[in-house]
Amino acid sequence: MIEARGVSKLYGRGVYALQDLTLRIDKGEFVFLTGPSGAGKSTLLRLLLRQDVPSEGEMIVGGRNLAALTGRQVQSYRRSLGFVFQDFKLLQAKTVLENVAFVPRVLGLAVAQQQRRTFQVLKWVGLQHRMNAYPRELSGGEQQRIAIARALVNDPVIILADEPTGNLDPDLSLEIMNLLREVNARGTTVLIATHDRELIRRVGRRSLTLDHGRIVEVS
Amino acid sequence: MRALTYFVTEAAGSLWRGRRAASLAILTIGAGLFVLGFFLIVNTNLQRLAARWGETAEFAIYLRDDVSAEQVESLSRLVHDSGVAARVDQVSKDQALERFRQDFPDLGATAERLNRNPFPASLDVRLRPGASRAEEAAEALAGTLAGSPGVADVRYDRRWLARLNGVVRFVRTVGLIIVGMLALAAALTVANVVRLAAHARRDEIEIMQLVGAPLTYIRGPLVLEGVMQGGAGAVVAIAALGALSALLRARYGGAISQVLGMESLTFLPVELSGILLLGGMLLGCIGGLMVARGVR
Ligand SMILES: Nc1ncnc2c1ncn2[C@@H]1O[C@H](COP(=O)(O)OP(=O)(O)OP(=O)(O)O)[C@@H](O)[C@H]1O
Ligand SMILES: [Mg+2]
């Protein structure tokens, strides 16, 4: 599903955010990406979101070399992804419902379809009763569940999460992880970057540890 | 259709959120288009004036006293065939004397004392307004007629007409330059407002990019926002021009038409409003595109 072949990412002169990284994540896997600050976790996710391309090597996802995609192909590739960030990236001026429906809306889906999918995922994350609230009226955990609902609304093949629990306390973190595990149980590949080793231990899934842009440990 | 609905709601919402900055852009476009409209109106009226004056321009063929009816006939055919004349009036010697008496009542008595009518008969030509290359054609006609049998003299004074046409051209050039600069300023103002709007919506745009929304969905609302501002600016300009022309007509309408010898001035024809509206939307579109192009 996801393959990195000798990927390096160079920022400026001689600063390697990733260095000769080779990894493989199969379809349906649930993988943690961990390591100290500055190890290159976010950089790898940025390459996977095709916000950036490797300086050397190839990122292959679903058989496609991401660096070779045209603008239009990047758009259609991204439609197969769902993303979750530490800061939720919810639109403050929009309600919960509008935030989630925003994705099918800007992808040009019919209104009926927008509504149906939005209700489904909101129900699934258990927040359909807060759909008319604004993000600032929700707790951090609730906001992250909305963000997950938004990531799911387009029925992604892969979910990429960068420190999704970075702003949450341990109990809420586990709750979010359980949600993501459920998503994974339905066949979606999940890749989560976190430096929370305790959380990884409690969830107990495969983890790749990065340091200075290299994989130093696989467990 | 779905996309269009999306563009319109987003653009309108964004305009409403940034209504202070947007009003400034709308007023700038309005001012630019107001000046454009003003120049177009001045230009139209000057052209009408030039045409009107050209029409009444003195083109007179003075006939010899011994001219024959056939000669007069062939002269007026010559004038008709040239295509520059709208009308040819024959003025007999008696009519010329009568005209003189009317124009100069005090000198009428003097004329009375003359035992012989000194005024020649003439063919008074009314030039056709707006005929292309009318000046040169009239000039050529005057030359031909001067050498024709039965003609004593041809009077065609076009210097002042040329001067008026020069003024029209000058006003048009200056107007174009000023309007061009204002148009540029208006487009840049719109671009700035749209840039602000894009900045205010940067989170939204980021999400759109991340979820792989089509570029048209990202750029469409920005361009449309510019177009809407331009259209609103045009409406402002048209309203202001309408108010100004109503005011002028009410206050000075009579005086102006007397001085200029025109029954009515053209103030705000429908075509001009259309031009302003389209121009405003085009400017707004350019402003929007300047920003949208940078978003990918
Ligand atoms: N845009 C950039 N320009 C220059 N250097 C960058 C840029 N982005 C990241 N880096 C550098 O690349 C390295 C890896 O950064 P990255 O954000 O991937 O780390 P991380 O593992 O996500 O860290 P954290 O746990 O703090 O989020 C760091 O040394 C960082 O300073
Ligand atoms: Mg990071």
Side-chain angles (χ1 to χ4, degrees):
Chain A
M1 180 94 267
I2 298 172
E3 225 185 317
R5 294 183 192 155
V7 167
S8 296
K9 182 64 195 176
L10 209 65
Y11 284 119
R13 269 154 61 88
V15 184
Y16 276 97
L18 293 174
Q19 206 167 353
D20 195 21
L21 186 89
T22 297
L23 62 79
R24 197 190 144 95
I25 296 169
D26 288 325
K27 184 165 164 48
E29 267 199 276
F30 188 107
V31 179
F32 282 111
L33 202 58
T34 186
S37 185
K41 306 183 291 291
S42 297
T43 303
L44 181 59
L45 290 181
R46 280 177 56 78
L47 295 183
L48 283 171
L49 271 170
R50 185 51 169 76
Q51 289 181 307
D52 222 329
V53 290
S55 316
E56 293 156 32
E58 290 175 342
M59 288 290 330
I60 314 277
V61 179
R64 289 178 291 194
N65 180 2
L66 297 190
L69 299 182
T70 64
R72 230 170 248 277
Q73 288 170 329
V74 168
Q75 287 162 21
S76 86
Y77 164 65
R78 284 183 182 163
R79 279 174 223 151
S80 70
L81 305 177
F83 56 85
V84 181
F85 293 100
Q86 177 172 3
D87 59 0
F88 319 135
K89 289 202 195 295
L90 295 176
L91 303 170
Q92 297 301 319
K94 293 189 189 297
T95 65
V96 162
L97 184 78
E98 288 165 348
N99 262 283
V100 177
F102 184 70
V103 178
R105 186 160 170 238
V106 300
L107 295 183
L109 267 64
V111 176
Q113 221 174 345
Q114 293 175 25
Q115 303 264 326
R116 189 168 47 77
R117 288 184 175 221
T118 302
F119 285 129
Q120 277 174 354
V121 291
L122 279 177
K123 208 169 188 174
W124 195 77
V125 299
L127 282 172
Q128 76 273 33
H129 59 290
R130 302 305 311 270
M131 65 185 188
N132 291 318
Y134 285 89
R136 62 174 178 281
E137 298 164 1
L138 301 179
S139 73
E142 287 171 329
Q143 289 190 49
Q144 195 59 298
R145 273 150 72 193
I146 298 302
I148 289 173
R150 181 180 60 189
L152 291 175
V153 74
N154 199 32
D155 201 13
V157 183
I158 303 171
I159 293 234
L160 301 171
D162 196 353
E163 308 278 2
T165 59
N167 286 344
L168 306 177
D169 65 41
D171 284 348
L172 277 179
S173 299
L174 203 58
E175 191 184 311
I176 293 297
M177 283 305 146
N178 286 335
L179 210 49
L180 289 172
R181 273 205 300 206
E182 272 186 67
V183 175
N184 175 244
R186 300 155 108 212
T188 307
T189 308
V190 177
L191 180 59
I192 302 168
T194 180
H195 54 246
D196 189 346
R197 297 196 148 270
E198 175 58 20
L199 187 69
I200 298 173
R201 197 189 55 74
R202 285 168 73 179
V203 177
R205 293 300 186 99
R206 183 181 169 208
S207 73
L208 306 172
T209 308
L210 287 181
D211 197 9
H212 291 97
R214 296 168 181 277
I215 294 186
V216 293
E217 191 190 332
V218 177
S219 61
Chain B
M1 196 56 224
R2 211 174 288 148
L4 203 63
T5 318
Y6 173 78
F7 294 174
V8 172
T9 41
E10 285 304 308
S14 177
L15 270 182
W16 178 245
R17 278 191 297 278
R19 54 191 174 277
R20 274 159 192 267
S23 335
L24 184 70
I26 289 170
L27 286 180
T28 311
I29 296 183
L33 291 174
F34 178 81
V35 174
L36 170 64
F38 187 76
F39 268 104
L40 285 176
I41 288 172
V42 168
N43 193 52
T44 310
N45 283 297
L46 275 179
Q47 265 175 335
R48 268 167 45 110
L49 189 64
R52 178 65 59 94
W53 282 1
E55 191 184 334
T56 57
E58 302 248 314
F59 192 127
I61 304 151
Y62 296 102
L63 305 171
R64 294 164 64 98
D65 286 354
D66 60 0
V67 70
S68 70
E70 294 85 56
Q71 281 170 340
V72 173
E73 180 64 23
S74 86
L75 283 173
S76 62
R77 194 173 312 122
L78 202 62
V79 173
H80 276 299
D81 293 350
S82 73
V84 299
R87 225 172 93 193
V88 182
D89 293 316
Q90 278 198 41
V91 182
S92 69
K93 285 178 70 75
D94 291 345
Q95 283 168 331
L97 178 62
E98 186 53 34
R99 240 194 224 173
F100 176 78
R101 281 204 185 111
Q102 272 175 11
D103 289 351
F104 304 99
D106 297 342
L107 297 176
T110 325
E112 218 80 307
R113 257 178 271 129
L114 297 167
N115 47 10
R116 201 172 63 84
N117 180 352
F119 297 100
S122 64
L123 289 174
D124 282 6
V125 180
R126 281 200 157 229
L127 294 176
R128 181 192 303 210
S132 60
R133 319 205 64 79
E135 272 176 43
E136 290 102 88
E139 186 76 6
L141 179 64
T144 316
L145 289 169
S148 302
V151 174
D153 193 11
V154 177
R155 194 152 61 83
Y156 173 53
D157 188 1
R158 51 167 197 91
R159 263 168 306 171
W160 56 271
L161 195 61
R163 215 171 296 149
L164 181 62
N165 280 326
V167 170
V168 171
R169 270 192 297 275
F170 178 73
V171 167
R172 201 180 308 163
T173 312
V174 170
L176 272 180
I177 293 170
I178 294 178
V179 165
M181 293 193 305
L182 284 170
L184 188 68
L188 289 176
T189 313
V190 173
N192 273 328
V193 175
V194 175
R195 195 166 289 127
L196 275 179
H199 186 70
R201 293 180 52 216
R202 64 190 179 284
D203 294 345
E204 228 166 274
I205 290 173
E206 186 192 358
I207 302 277
M208 291 172 88
Q209 289 166 333
L210 280 171
V211 301
L215 217 46
T216 44
Y217 267 72
I218 300 176
R219 293 178 174 173
L222 297 176
V223 176
L224 191 63
E225 192 173 337
V227 172
M228 283 174 159
Q229 283 173 43
V235 170
V236 168
I238 291 167
L241 284 172
L244 181 73
S245 65
L247 193 76
L248 284 183
R249 212 187 320 233
R251 282 261 175 101
Y252 308 109
I256 291 175
S257 45
Q258 254 177 13
V259 171
L260 299 183
M262 288 199 270
E263 308 86 63
S264 70
L265 286 175
T266 310
F267 280 111
L268 197 62
V270 181
E271 307 89 62
L272 177 59
S273 307
I275 290 174
L276 291 182
L277 192 63
L278 282 181
M281 291 185 352
L282 184 70
L283 283 180
C285 182
I286 292 171
L289 277 174
M290 285 201 261
V291 178
R293 248 166 34 94
V295 182
R296 51 186 80 245

PDB file of all heavy atoms in Angstrom, chain B residues 222-254:
ATOM      1  N   LEU B 222     -13.039  32.932  -5.426  1.00  0.00           N
ATOM      2  CA  LEU B 222     -12.174  34.124  -5.397  1.00  0.00           C
ATOM      3  C   LEU B 222     -12.439  34.991  -6.622  1.00  0.00           C
ATOM      4  O   LEU B 222     -12.573  36.213  -6.523  1.00  0.00           O
ATOM      5  CB  LEU B 222     -10.698  33.707  -5.360  1.00  0.00           C
ATOM      6  CG  LEU B 222     -10.274  32.924  -4.117  1.00  0.00           C
ATOM      7  CD1 LEU B 222      -8.823  32.477  -4.232  1.00  0.00           C
ATOM      8  CD2 LEU B 222     -10.468  33.753  -2.859  1.00  0.00           C
ATOM      9  N   VAL B 223     -12.504  34.338  -7.785  1.00  0.00           N
ATOM     10  CA  VAL B 223     -12.754  35.099  -9.018  1.00  0.00           C
ATOM     11  C   VAL B 223     -14.140  35.737  -8.964  1.00  0.00           C
ATOM     12  O   VAL B 223     -14.310  36.923  -9.250  1.00  0.00           O
ATOM     13  CB  VAL B 223     -12.633  34.180 -10.253  1.00  0.00           C
ATOM     14  CG1 VAL B 223     -12.997  34.938 -11.517  1.00  0.00           C
ATOM     15  CG2 VAL B 223     -11.227  33.619 -10.356  1.00  0.00           C
ATOM     16  N   LEU B 224     -15.116  34.925  -8.527  1.00  0.00           N
ATOM     17  CA  LEU B 224     -16.484  35.432  -8.481  1.00  0.00           C
ATOM     18  C   LEU B 224     -16.601  36.598  -7.506  1.00  0.00           C
ATOM     19  O   LEU B 224     -17.331  37.562  -7.745  1.00  0.00           O
ATOM     20  CB  LEU B 224     -17.441  34.310  -8.078  1.00  0.00           C
ATOM     21  CG  LEU B 224     -18.910  34.669  -8.271  1.00  0.00           C
ATOM     22  CD1 LEU B 224     -19.211  34.914  -9.729  1.00  0.00           C
ATOM     23  CD2 LEU B 224     -19.805  33.570  -7.728  1.00  0.00           C
ATOM     24  N   GLU B 225     -15.842  36.523  -6.421  1.00  0.00           N
ATOM     25  CA  GLU B 225     -15.867  37.616  -5.451  1.00  0.00           C
ATOM     26  C   GLU B 225     -15.395  38.910  -6.110  1.00  0.00           C
ATOM     27  O   GLU B 225     -15.967  39.983  -5.891  1.00  0.00           O
ATOM     28  CB  GLU B 225     -14.982  37.263  -4.256  1.00  0.00           C
ATOM     29  CG  GLU B 225     -15.186  38.201  -3.100  1.00  0.00           C
ATOM     30  CD  GLU B 225     -14.439  37.760  -1.854  1.00  0.00           C
ATOM     31  OE1 GLU B 225     -14.131  36.559  -1.725  1.00  0.00           O
ATOM     32  OE2 GLU B 225     -14.164  38.630  -1.017  1.00  0.00           O
ATOM     33  N   GLY B 226     -14.356  38.777  -6.938  1.00  0.00           N
ATOM     34  CA  GLY B 226     -13.883  39.943  -7.679  1.00  0.00           C
ATOM     35  C   GLY B 226     -14.945  40.456  -8.641  1.00  0.00           C
ATOM     36  O   GLY B 226     -15.215  41.659  -8.710  1.00  0.00           O
ATOM     37  N   VAL B 227     -15.567  39.523  -9.354  1.00  0.00           N
ATOM     38  CA  VAL B 227     -16.598  39.915 -10.328  1.00  0.00           C
ATOM     39  C   VAL B 227     -17.752  40.634  -9.625  1.00  0.00           C
ATOM     40  O   VAL B 227     -18.252  41.658 -10.104  1.00  0.00           O
ATOM     41  CB  VAL B 227     -17.117  38.675 -11.084  1.00  0.00           C
ATOM     42  CG1 VAL B 227     -18.307  39.036 -11.956  1.00  0.00           C
ATOM     43  CG2 VAL B 227     -16.005  38.072 -11.932  1.00  0.00           C
ATOM     44  N   MET B 228     -18.140  40.108  -8.461  1.00  0.00           N
ATOM     45  CA  MET B 228     -19.246  40.725  -7.719  1.00  0.00           C
ATOM     46  C   MET B 228     -18.876  42.145  -7.280  1.00  0.00           C
ATOM     47  O   MET B 228     -19.694  43.058  -7.361  1.00  0.00           O
ATOM     48  CB  MET B 228     -19.584  39.886  -6.488  1.00  0.00           C
ATOM     49  CG  MET B 228     -20.380  38.640  -6.808  1.00  0.00           C
ATOM     50  SD  MET B 228     -20.564  37.665  -5.285  1.00  0.00           S
ATOM     51  CE  MET B 228     -21.982  36.663  -5.701  1.00  0.00           C
ATOM     52  N   GLN B 229     -17.647  42.301  -6.816  1.00  0.00           N
ATOM     53  CA  GLN B 229     -17.218  43.643  -6.409  1.00  0.00           C
ATOM     54  C   GLN B 229     -17.258  44.591  -7.596  1.00  0.00           C
ATOM     55  O   GLN B 229     -17.704  45.740  -7.482  1.00  0.00           O
ATOM     56  CB  GLN B 229     -15.799  43.597  -5.853  1.00  0.00           C
ATOM     57  CG  GLN B 229     -15.733  43.058  -4.447  1.00  0.00           C
ATOM     58  CD  GLN B 229     -14.293  42.882  -4.002  1.00  0.00           C
ATOM     59  OE1 GLN B 229     -13.456  43.732  -4.233  1.00  0.00           O
ATOM     60  NE2 GLN B 229     -14.026  41.767  -3.375  1.00  0.00           N
ATOM     61  N   GLY B 230     -16.755  44.104  -8.733  1.00  0.00           N
ATOM     62  CA  GLY B 230     -16.758  44.938  -9.930  1.00  0.00           C
ATOM     63  C   GLY B 230     -18.164  45.323 -10.335  1.00  0.00           C
ATOM     64  O   GLY B 230     -18.436  46.482 -10.650  1.00  0.00           O
ATOM     65  N   GLY B 231     -19.068  44.359 -10.291  1.00  0.00           N
ATOM     66  CA  GLY B 231     -20.455  44.633 -10.659  1.00  0.00           C
ATOM     67  C   GLY B 231     -21.075  45.653  -9.713  1.00  0.00           C
ATOM     68  O   GLY B 231     -21.739  46.603 -10.143  1.00  0.00           O
ATOM     69  N   ALA B 232     -20.816  45.466  -8.407  1.00  0.00           N
ATOM     70  CA  ALA B 232     -21.362  46.400  -7.418  1.00  0.00           C
ATOM     71  C   ALA B 232     -20.785  47.801  -7.650  1.00  0.00           C
ATOM     72  O   ALA B 232     -21.509  48.798  -7.576  1.00  0.00           O
ATOM     73  CB  ALA B 232     -21.042  45.922  -6.011  1.00  0.00           C
ATOM     74  N   GLY B 233     -19.473  47.849  -7.957  1.00  0.00           N
ATOM     75  CA  GLY B 233     -18.847  49.139  -8.240  1.00  0.00           C
ATOM     76  C   GLY B 233     -19.508  49.810  -9.437  1.00  0.00           C
ATOM     77  O   GLY B 233     -19.767  51.019  -9.432  1.00  0.00           O
ATOM     78  N   ALA B 234     -19.820  49.019 -10.450  1.00  0.00           N
ATOM     79  CA  ALA B 234     -20.458  49.565 -11.649  1.00  0.00           C
ATOM     80  C   ALA B 234     -21.838  50.115 -11.310  1.00  0.00           C
ATOM     81  O   ALA B 234     -22.223  51.186 -11.784  1.00  0.00           O
ATOM     82  CB  ALA B 234     -20.570  48.483 -12.720  1.00  0.00           C
ATOM     83  N   VAL B 235     -22.567  49.389 -10.463  1.00  0.00           N
ATOM     84  CA  VAL B 235     -23.898  49.860 -10.069  1.00  0.00           C
ATOM     85  C   VAL B 235     -23.774  51.207  -9.347  1.00  0.00           C
ATOM     86  O   VAL B 235     -24.536  52.143  -9.606  1.00  0.00           O
ATOM     87  CB  VAL B 235     -24.604  48.813  -9.174  1.00  0.00           C
ATOM     88  CG1 VAL B 235     -25.868  49.391  -8.568  1.00  0.00           C
ATOM     89  CG2 VAL B 235     -24.926  47.570  -9.994  1.00  0.00           C
ATOM     90  N   VAL B 236     -22.756  51.306  -8.469  1.00  0.00           N
ATOM     91  CA  VAL B 236     -22.520  52.574  -7.767  1.00  0.00           C
ATOM     92  C   VAL B 236     -22.263  53.689  -8.782  1.00  0.00           C
ATOM     93  O   VAL B 236     -22.844  54.780  -8.704  1.00  0.00           O
ATOM     94  CB  VAL B 236     -21.315  52.437  -6.810  1.00  0.00           C
ATOM     95  CG1 VAL B 236     -20.877  53.814  -6.303  1.00  0.00           C
ATOM     96  CG2 VAL B 236     -21.671  51.540  -5.634  1.00  0.00           C
ATOM     97  N   ALA B 237     -21.377  53.397  -9.753  1.00  0.00           N
ATOM     98  CA  ALA B 237     -21.017  54.408 -10.745  1.00  0.00           C
ATOM     99  C   ALA B 237     -22.238  54.822 -11.572  1.00  0.00           C
ATOM    100  O   ALA B 237     -22.465  56.006 -11.827  1.00  0.00           O
ATOM    101  CB  ALA B 237     -19.926  53.870 -11.660  1.00  0.00           C
ATOM    102  N   ILE B 238     -23.043  53.834 -11.976  1.00  0.00           N
ATOM    103  CA  ILE B 238     -24.217  54.136 -12.801  1.00  0.00           C
ATOM    104  C   ILE B 238     -25.206  54.986 -12.008  1.00  0.00           C
ATOM    105  O   ILE B 238     -25.748  55.969 -12.514  1.00  0.00           O
ATOM    106  CB  ILE B 238     -24.881  52.825 -13.286  1.00  0.00           C
ATOM    107  CG1 ILE B 238     -23.967  52.141 -14.300  1.00  0.00           C
ATOM    108  CG2 ILE B 238     -26.234  53.115 -13.915  1.00  0.00           C
ATOM    109  CD1 ILE B 238     -24.362  50.714 -14.618  1.00  0.00           C
ATOM    110  N   ALA B 239     -25.394  54.632 -10.725  1.00  0.00           N
ATOM    111  CA  ALA B 239     -26.310  55.403  -9.888  1.00  0.00           C
ATOM    112  C   ALA B 239     -25.804  56.839  -9.753  1.00  0.00           C
ATOM    113  O   ALA B 239     -26.579  57.799  -9.875  1.00  0.00           O
ATOM    114  CB  ALA B 239     -26.439  54.746  -8.514  1.00  0.00           C
ATOM    115  N   ALA B 240     -24.485  56.992  -9.524  1.00  0.00           N
ATOM    116  CA  ALA B 240     -23.922  58.332  -9.346  1.00  0.00           C
ATOM    117  C   ALA B 240     -24.063  59.139 -10.635  1.00  0.00           C
ATOM    118  O   ALA B 240     -24.434  60.321 -10.604  1.00  0.00           O
ATOM    119  CB  ALA B 240     -22.464  58.232  -8.941  1.00  0.00           C
ATOM    120  N   LEU B 241     -23.796  58.507 -11.767  1.00  0.00           N
ATOM    121  CA  LEU B 241     -23.928  59.208 -13.051  1.00  0.00           C
ATOM    122  C   LEU B 241     -25.380  59.589 -13.295  1.00  0.00           C
ATOM    123  O   LEU B 241     -25.675  60.685 -13.786  1.00  0.00           O
ATOM    124  CB  LEU B 241     -23.420  58.321 -14.187  1.00  0.00           C
ATOM    125  CG  LEU B 241     -21.897  58.205 -14.326  1.00  0.00           C
ATOM    126  CD1 LEU B 241     -21.548  57.144 -15.351  1.00  0.00           C
ATOM    127  CD2 LEU B 241     -21.294  59.535 -14.724  1.00  0.00           C
ATOM    128  N   GLY B 242     -26.278  58.679 -12.932  1.00  0.00           N
ATOM    129  CA  GLY B 242     -27.702  58.951 -13.103  1.00  0.00           C
ATOM    130  C   GLY B 242     -28.118  60.155 -12.274  1.00  0.00           C
ATOM    131  O   GLY B 242     -28.794  61.065 -12.766  1.00  0.00           O
ATOM    132  N   ALA B 243     -27.642  60.165 -11.013  1.00  0.00           N
ATOM    133  CA  ALA B 243     -27.979  61.273 -10.121  1.00  0.00           C
ATOM    134  C   ALA B 243     -27.402  62.576 -10.668  1.00  0.00           C
ATOM    135  O   ALA B 243     -28.081  63.606 -10.719  1.00  0.00           O
ATOM    136  CB  ALA B 243     -27.435  60.994  -8.729  1.00  0.00           C
ATOM    137  N   LEU B 244     -26.143  62.508 -11.107  1.00  0.00           N
ATOM    138  CA  LEU B 244     -25.486  63.708 -11.624  1.00  0.00           C
ATOM    139  C   LEU B 244     -26.224  64.240 -12.850  1.00  0.00           C
ATOM    140  O   LEU B 244     -26.467  65.451 -12.970  1.00  0.00           O
ATOM    141  CB  LEU B 244     -24.037  63.400 -11.985  1.00  0.00           C
ATOM    142  CG  LEU B 244     -23.253  64.589 -12.525  1.00  0.00           C
ATOM    143  CD1 LEU B 244     -22.937  65.572 -11.412  1.00  0.00           C
ATOM    144  CD2 LEU B 244     -21.967  64.142 -13.211  1.00  0.00           C
ATOM    145  N   SER B 245     -26.595  63.344 -13.753  1.00  0.00           N
ATOM    146  CA  SER B 245     -27.234  63.815 -14.980  1.00  0.00           C
ATOM    147  C   SER B 245     -28.620  64.376 -14.684  1.00  0.00           C
ATOM    148  O   SER B 245     -29.024  65.380 -15.267  1.00  0.00           O
ATOM    149  CB  SER B 245     -27.306  62.690 -16.010  1.00  0.00           C
ATOM    150  OG  SER B 245     -28.140  61.668 -15.543  1.00  0.00           O
ATOM    151  N   ALA B 246     -29.320  63.762 -13.718  1.00  0.00           N
ATOM    152  CA  ALA B 246     -30.648  64.282 -13.349  1.00  0.00           C
ATOM    153  C   ALA B 246     -30.496  65.695 -12.790  1.00  0.00           C
ATOM    154  O   ALA B 246     -31.247  66.600 -13.134  1.00  0.00           O
ATOM    155  CB  ALA B 246     -31.297  63.365 -12.321  1.00  0.00           C
ATOM    156  N   LEU B 247     -29.465  65.863 -11.956  1.00  0.00           N
ATOM    157  CA  LEU B 247     -29.203  67.161 -11.338  1.00  0.00           C
ATOM    158  C   LEU B 247     -28.884  68.201 -12.401  1.00  0.00           C
ATOM    159  O   LEU B 247     -29.462  69.292 -12.445  1.00  0.00           O
ATOM    160  CB  LEU B 247     -28.031  67.025 -10.370  1.00  0.00           C
ATOM    161  CG  LEU B 247     -27.820  68.192  -9.417  1.00  0.00           C
ATOM    162  CD1 LEU B 247     -28.867  68.142  -8.314  1.00  0.00           C
ATOM    163  CD2 LEU B 247     -26.420  68.147  -8.824  1.00  0.00           C
ATOM    164  N   LEU B 248     -27.956  67.848 -13.298  1.00  0.00           N
ATOM    165  CA  LEU B 248     -27.542  68.785 -14.340  1.00  0.00           C
ATOM    166  C   LEU B 248     -28.714  69.152 -15.240  1.00  0.00           C
ATOM    167  O   LEU B 248     -28.893  70.300 -15.610  1.00  0.00           O
ATOM    168  CB  LEU B 248     -26.419  68.176 -15.185  1.00  0.00           C
ATOM    169  CG  LEU B 248     -25.037  68.158 -14.532  1.00  0.00           C
ATOM    170  CD1 LEU B 248     -24.009  67.595 -15.498  1.00  0.00           C
ATOM    171  CD2 LEU B 248     -24.637  69.572 -14.116  1.00  0.00           C
ATOM    172  N   ARG B 249     -29.505  68.133 -15.582  1.00  0.00           N
ATOM    173  CA  ARG B 249     -30.617  68.382 -16.479  1.00  0.00           C
ATOM    174  C   ARG B 249     -31.618  69.336 -15.828  1.00  0.00           C
ATOM    175  O   ARG B 249     -32.120  70.254 -16.447  1.00  0.00           O
ATOM    176  CB  ARG B 249     -31.299  67.070 -16.842  1.00  0.00           C
ATOM    177  CG  ARG B 249     -31.861  67.118 -18.251  1.00  0.00           C
ATOM    178  CD  ARG B 249     -32.663  65.897 -18.553  1.00  0.00           C
ATOM    179  NE  ARG B 249     -32.065  64.682 -18.021  1.00  0.00           N
ATOM    180  CZ  ARG B 249     -31.819  63.612 -18.747  1.00  0.00           C
ATOM    181  NH1 ARG B 249     -32.070  63.610 -20.025  1.00  0.00           N
ATOM    182  NH2 ARG B 249     -31.333  62.529 -18.206  1.00  0.00           N
ATOM    183  N   ALA B 250     -31.858  69.086 -14.525  1.00  0.00           N
ATOM    184  CA  ALA B 250     -32.832  69.915 -13.823  1.00  0.00           C
ATOM    185  C   ALA B 250     -32.335  71.360 -13.698  1.00  0.00           C
ATOM    186  O   ALA B 250     -33.074  72.311 -13.919  1.00  0.00           O
ATOM    187  CB  ALA B 250     -33.102  69.320 -12.445  1.00  0.00           C
ATOM    188  N   ARG B 251     -31.050  71.505 -13.373  1.00  0.00           N
ATOM    189  CA  ARG B 251     -30.514  72.838 -13.120  1.00  0.00           C
ATOM    190  C   ARG B 251     -30.180  73.592 -14.396  1.00  0.00           C
ATOM    191  O   ARG B 251     -30.538  74.738 -14.575  1.00  0.00           O
ATOM    192  CB  ARG B 251     -29.207  72.709 -12.310  1.00  0.00           C
ATOM    193  CG  ARG B 251     -29.438  72.431 -10.852  1.00  0.00           C
ATOM    194  CD  ARG B 251     -29.314  73.705 -10.043  1.00  0.00           C
ATOM    195  NE  ARG B 251     -29.661  73.464  -8.657  1.00  0.00           N
ATOM    196  CZ  ARG B 251     -28.752  73.311  -7.705  1.00  0.00           C
ATOM    197  NH1 ARG B 251     -27.479  73.370  -7.992  1.00  0.00           N
ATOM    198  NH2 ARG B 251     -29.140  73.095  -6.468  1.00  0.00           N
ATOM    199  N   TYR B 252     -29.394  72.905 -15.257  1.00  0.00           N
ATOM    200  CA  TYR B 252     -28.806  73.638 -16.378  1.00  0.00           C
ATOM    201  C   TYR B 252     -29.248  73.141 -17.733  1.00  0.00           C
ATOM    202  O   TYR B 252     -28.756  73.597 -18.753  1.00  0.00           O
ATOM    203  CB  TYR B 252     -27.273  73.553 -16.316  1.00  0.00           C
ATOM    204  CG  TYR B 252     -26.712  73.944 -14.991  1.00  0.00           C
ATOM    205  CD1 TYR B 252     -26.163  72.989 -14.142  1.00  0.00           C
ATOM    206  CD2 TYR B 252     -26.742  75.275 -14.573  1.00  0.00           C
ATOM    207  CE1 TYR B 252     -25.651  73.351 -12.903  1.00  0.00           C
ATOM    208  CE2 TYR B 252     -26.238  75.638 -13.344  1.00  0.00           C
ATOM    209  CZ  TYR B 252     -25.681  74.674 -12.508  1.00  0.00           C
ATOM    210  OH  TYR B 252     -25.190  75.039 -11.303  1.00  0.00           O
ATOM    211  N   GLY B 253     -30.133  72.158 -17.745  1.00  0.00           N
ATOM    212  CA  GLY B 253     -30.521  71.532 -19.012  1.00  0.00           C
ATOM    213  C   GLY B 253     -30.879  72.554 -20.084  1.00  0.00           C
ATOM    214  O   GLY B 253     -30.344  72.528 -21.190  1.00  0.00           O
ATOM    215  N   GLY B 254     -31.767  73.501 -19.706  1.00  0.00           N
ATOM    216  CA  GLY B 254     -32.215  74.497 -20.676  1.00  0.00           C
ATOM    217  C   GLY B 254     -31.068  75.348 -21.161  1.00  0.00           C
ATOM    218  O   GLY B 254     -30.882  75.529 -22.374  1.00  0.00           O
TER     219      GLY B 254
END
